């Protein structure tokens, strides 16, 4: 894959390959300023190879904010560059690292991204010297809905969305156990597992997490990063909705603890 340079237009859009996003409307940042951010990161080693505008633009914003806060982004950029040589899941994993780094660094934690090698079992990052393994849980709802797409083409939208919401409700039946199974995969590599739920379209919002807390599946739900704890799983759910009323880059996320295999968090300080 060759190196891709972002291309702006007069409408506020920035394109990476064939996909783009309106940084002017979504972030209140003009394309010229965004291009300067991109150029600064290229000077720090960023190499854009994947034509995925959403991921590339988000990474530039998160990484630029980290640089502005005085954080060392060298290892993060190397991890992101390497991830672009793989599949989309690797790219999303590297972007999630940037998000975690940003939020924990802004909250005053000491964060260290660790260079990973497939041949060596290495934790993804350390937060206040607690080694953490990041797992991104990908939602399968849209894949299961592919066989129903013809309903939309036939103008039967109501029928399609009835099936969609049925799929979402059915996932609630086994969601807690599915999350625990995903979290358990990381304990061989690190003391703490961080489970990123950002791939779960609009169903993963504060109200959904609040429901899981009320049902006893989540503890310590918070709008601030919760401390990483050895032998525990942290839930991390970035708020990804595109808000055209936002001013600047001010990302939000929701956090909590997921009890798994008897690993329970006592005395957690959530604000939800």
């Amino acid at each position: 894959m060759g190196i891709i340079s972002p291309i702006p237009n007069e409408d506020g859009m920035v394109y990476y390959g064939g996909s783009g996003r309106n940084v002017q409307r979504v972030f209140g940042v003009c394309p010229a300023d965004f291009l300067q951010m991109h150029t600064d990161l290229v000077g720090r080693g960023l190499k854009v190879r994947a034509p995925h505008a959403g991921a590339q633009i988000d990474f530039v914003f998160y990484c630029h904010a980290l640089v502005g806060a005085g954080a060392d982004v060298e290892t993060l950029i190397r991890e992101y560059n390497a991830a672009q040589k793989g599949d989309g899941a690797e790219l999303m994993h590297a972007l999630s690292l940037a998000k975690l780094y940003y939020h924990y660094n802004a909250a005053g934690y000491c964060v260290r991204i660790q260079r990973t090698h497939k041949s060596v079992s290495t934790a993804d990052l350390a937060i206040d010297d607690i080694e953490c393994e990041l797992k991104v849980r990908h939602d399968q709802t849209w894949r299961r809905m592919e066989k129903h797409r013809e309903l939309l083409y036939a103008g039967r939208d109501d029928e399609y969305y009835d099936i969609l919401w049925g799929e979402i409700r059915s996932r609630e039946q086994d969601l807690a156990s599915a999350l625990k199974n995903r979290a358990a995969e990381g304990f061989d590599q690190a003391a703490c597992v961080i489970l990123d739920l950002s791939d779960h379209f609009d169903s993963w919002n504060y109200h959904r997490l609040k429901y899981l807390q009320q049902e006893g599946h989540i503890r310590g739900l918070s709008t601030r990063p919760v401390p990483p704890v050895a032998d525990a799983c942290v839930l991390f759910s970035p708020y990804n909705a595109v808000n055209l009323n936002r001013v600047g880059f001010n990302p939000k996320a929701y956090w909590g603890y997921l009890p798994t295999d008897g690993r329970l968090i006592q005395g957690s300080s959530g604000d939800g």
Side-chain angles (χ1 to χ4, degrees), residues 7 45 52 70 106 112 118-119 122 138 162 165 178 185 223 233 236:
I7 299 175
H52 189 311
R112 185 178 71 256
K118 292 183 178 180
S119 60
T122 307
H138 297 283
D162 282 344
W165 294 122
E185 298 172 6
T223 54
C233 175
F236 166 53

Side-chain angles (χ1 to χ4, degrees), residues 129-231:
D129 293 326
I130 299 293
E131 289 203 333
C132 302
E133 181 68 11
L134 168 64
K135 296 292 183 182
V136 180
R137 187 174 190 275
H138 297 283
D139 182 65
Q140 300 298 316
T141 303
W142 294 121
R143 180 183 59 80
R144 293 194 302 275
M145 289 299 296
E146 279 295 329
K147 60 186 177 182
H148 302 293
R149 295 289 184 195
E150 69 276 4
L151 295 175
L152 291 176
Y153 303 142
R156 296 157 63 186
D157 294 25
D158 289 346
E159 188 175 345
Y160 174 85
Y161 286 108
D162 282 344
I163 297 173
L164 172 60
W165 294 122
E167 287 284 349
I168 293 173
R169 287 191 294 272
S170 70
R171 291 298 291 165
E172 292 178 355
Q173 304 297 322
D174 63 351
L175 187 55
S177 61
L179 293 178
K180 291 178 182 179
N181 291 338
R182 184 69 175 128
E185 298 172 6
F187 282 112
D188 291 338
Q189 296 155 292
C192 177
V193 174
I194 300 178
L195 187 56
D196 180 358
L197 308 175
S198 60
D199 188 50
H200 288 251
F201 62 109
D202 58 1
S203 67
W204 278 112
N205 52 33
Y206 182 77
H207 299 290
R208 183 73 175 275
L209 294 175
K210 186 75 173 179
Y211 168 78
L212 289 178
Q213 178 179 249
Q214 292 170 346
E215 293 296 306
H217 300 307
I218 292 177
R219 297 188 178 187
L221 184 59
S222 175
T223 54
R224 298 186 300 269
V226 297
V229 180
D231 295 327

Side-chain angles (χ1 to χ4, degrees), residues 64 77 101 121 129 152 198 218 269 272:
H64 176 76
I77 288 176
Y101 194 174
S121 179
D129 293 326
L152 291 176
S198 60
I218 292 177
S269 56

